[in-house]
Structures are given as C-alpha cells and as structure tokens.
C-alpha cells in the first residue's frame, strides 16, 4: 500500500501571513491524520518563512502517523532531525533561499557528503531518503551512499503527463525498478495531483509513499480537507 503524506508547509505560509495562529498548523496536521492521511511532511527552511523549528517540535509531540522532515542537510537541519527523531528525513539539494525544490541530488558527485549524512542520521534511528531525479544511476548511487529510500522528483512527469502520459511515466518506472533492485524503498513527490496521481501509482506498483502539499492544499480550498484527502487516497487504491 502506498502511503499519503501531507506536506503542510502551505498551511504554515497562510498562518504566517497574519502573524497569529490561524490556521493552527498542529491542529491541521492532526485533522489530516484523522481524515486518513498516513503521514505528515514538513520542510523547514532557514528563514522559517513557513514551517518553524517550534512547529517541528510541537508536531513531534502529537503525531501518530509517520513524520517526515525534509530539507537541505546543513548542520542546523541535521541537529533538528537528531533532536526530533522523525520516522524519516528526506535530503534535498535546495539552496537556502530557494522558492521550492527544482531538482534532485547529483548523488554521484556528492557521494562522500551524503554517505556521512546517511550514516549520522541512521545512527540517530532515522530512516533516510534522498531526493533524486528519475535516473537509475543516481538511484543506485543513493543506495551506495547508505540511503534507505529515494524520493523521485516528479515535476517532469507532471509537466509531460497531459500530452503523453506513457512517455511521462516511463523514466519513473525504470527508476523504480532500479530502486527495487538496489534494495531501496521508493517515495515520490512534487506536482503530483488529483489529475495525474492515479496513473502514476498504477505504473509504479512498488511505491511506498507520496508526499503532496501544494496541489492538495489548493484542492482543499474548493473541496475541504476531508474530501480532498479521501480523493487522494482513492488515487492510491
């Protein structure tokens, strides 16, 4: 079964716009769990423009599903993960001021860096996922670096899907086979939506988890969060 992890960054962005606690990020996360989400994802950035370090600590105290913290593995980020001990840390290659993730790691070029980070976080009891493009060579390199999983960067799939779904998903099928052969778990995320998720899921039968934030929160503006989560879960059946 593929788990749905809801990325709640956009909820924190809305809260921060007024400087108060509306919407309440922790309550929203708990509601997502109550409505069927099997995980919560956050991506704290150095400027705390959405998720704050205090949010991470508050969420850890109350979540009952898998907690996934993603981010660039700076020393501050690594210490946050070590102190929080989520189920999973997802390493992304984002620059500090980057608007959103727009590429996967070149794991081959950063092998020694990522090996050290994977070993450090696994020693803390945290499962490690590395964010990569749908490239079998990079998937195999992630296994060599000591990752437990890879998360496939799915924007290229989402961009091509409307015009050619079969060609859009083909590299991801190949990458998923490489992950299975390397003994890695498989996650995916970025621009997955109600439009393209079911097709992607059918094509990748060994998919462990999808992490979805922006599209899901946008859908919730029209459908409500309970109905939105139900529809995303339907895509993963």
């Amino acid at each position: 079964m593929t788990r749905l992890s809801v990325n709640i960054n956009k909820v924190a962005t809305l809260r921060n716009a007024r400087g108060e606690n509306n919407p309440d990020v922790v309550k929203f996360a708990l509601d997502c769990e109550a409505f069927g989400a099997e995980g919560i994802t956050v991506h704290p950035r150095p400027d705390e423009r959405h998720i704050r370090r205090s949010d991470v600590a508050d969420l850890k105290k109350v979540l009952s599903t898998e907690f996934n913290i993603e981010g660039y593995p700076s020393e501050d980020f690594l210490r946050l993960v070590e102190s929080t001990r989520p189920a999973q840390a997802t390493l992304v290659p984002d620059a500090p001021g980057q608007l959103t993730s727009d590429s996967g790691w070149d794991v081959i070029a950063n092998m020694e860096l990522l090996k050290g980070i994977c070993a450090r976080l696994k020693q803390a009891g945290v499962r490690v996922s590395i964010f990569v493009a749908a490239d079998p060579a990079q998937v195999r390199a992630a296994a060599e670096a000591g990752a437990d999983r890879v998360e496939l960067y799915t924007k290229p799939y989402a961009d091509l899907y409307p015009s050619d779904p079969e060609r859009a998903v083909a590299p991801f099928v190949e990458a998923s086979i490489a992950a299975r052969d390397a003994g890695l778990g498989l996650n995916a995320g970025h621009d997955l939506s109600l439009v393209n998720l079911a097709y992607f899921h059918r094509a990748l039968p060994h998919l462990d988890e999808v992490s979805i934030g922006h599209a899901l929160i946008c859908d919730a503006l029209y459908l409500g969060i309970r109905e939105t989560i139900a529809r995303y879960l339907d895509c993963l059946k």
Side-chain angles (χ1 to χ4, degrees):
M1 180 177 177
T2 303
R3 292 175 175 268
L4 171 65
S5 185
V6 177
N7 185 318
I8 60 171
N9 279 13
K10 288 297 187 294
V11 180
T13 301
L14 181 60
R15 175 201 60 189
N16 294 353
R18 289 291 293 266
E20 298 176 352
N21 195 39
N22 188 24
D24 184 322
V25 169
V26 173
K27 181 181 183 303
F28 188 89
L30 291 173
D31 287 341
C32 288
E33 289 186 328
F35 299 151
E38 296 110 334
I40 298 295
T41 293
V42 296
H43 186 152
R45 294 183 181 270
D47 60 5
E48 295 193 321
R49 64 179 180 266
H50 35 63
I51 290 293
R52 300 168 181 156
R53 294 175 67 90
S54 58
D55 294 327
V56 174
D58 291 342
L59 288 162
K60 173 62 177 177
K61 295 173 187 175
V62 298
L63 294 180
S64 58
T65 60
E66 286 203 350
F67 191 21
N68 173 46
I69 304 177
E70 61 182 27
Y72 180 81
S74 64
E75 184 59 30
D76 283 349
F77 176 84
L78 294 174
R79 285 199 296 265
L80 177 64
V81 172
E82 288 169 330
S83 65
T84 307
R85 294 178 182 260
Q88 178 174 267
T90 301
L91 309 180
V92 297
D94 294 359
Q98 196 163 323
L99 182 62
T100 189
S101 302
D102 60 7
S103 64
W105 280 95
D106 184 341
V107 184
I108 297 167
N110 292 278
M111 179 62 70
E112 293 310 310
L113 170 68
L114 291 171
K115 273 186 176 180
I117 291 166
C118 288
R120 176 174 170 179
L121 293 181
K122 288 168 77 171
Q123 187 174 8
V126 178
R127 184 174 72 231
V128 181
S129 178
I130 298 180
F131 193 64
V132 297
D135 178 346
Q138 295 294 346
V139 170
R140 289 189 288 268
E144 183 183 345
D148 302 293
R149 293 187 182 183
V150 288
E151 179 175 335
L152 300 180
Y153 171 58
T154 48
K155 188 178 191 313
Y157 163 75
D159 289 344
L160 186 55
Y161 173 83
S163 61
D164 194 339
E166 187 173 348
R167 186 159 68 94
V169 84
F172 294 86
V173 173
E174 187 178 0
S176 74
I177 293 169
R180 184 181 58 184
D181 290 347
L184 293 171
L186 184 67
N187 300 340
H190 211 289
D191 285 2
L192 294 175
S193 69
L194 289 176
V195 173
N196 59 41
L197 179 58
Y199 184 88
F200 186 85
H201 180 247
R202 287 195 299 271
L204 276 71
H206 301 289
L207 188 61
D208 290 300
E209 174 188 294
V210 291
S211 174
I212 304 177
H214 185 83
L216 190 150
I217 300 303
C218 290
D219 290 330
L221 293 175
Y222 292 92
L223 302 172
I225 189 60
R226 183 196 295 266
E227 176 65 19
T228 297
I229 288 176
R231 293 195 189 190
Y232 275 90
L233 291 172
D234 281 344
C235 291
L236 299 174
K237 287 182 179 178

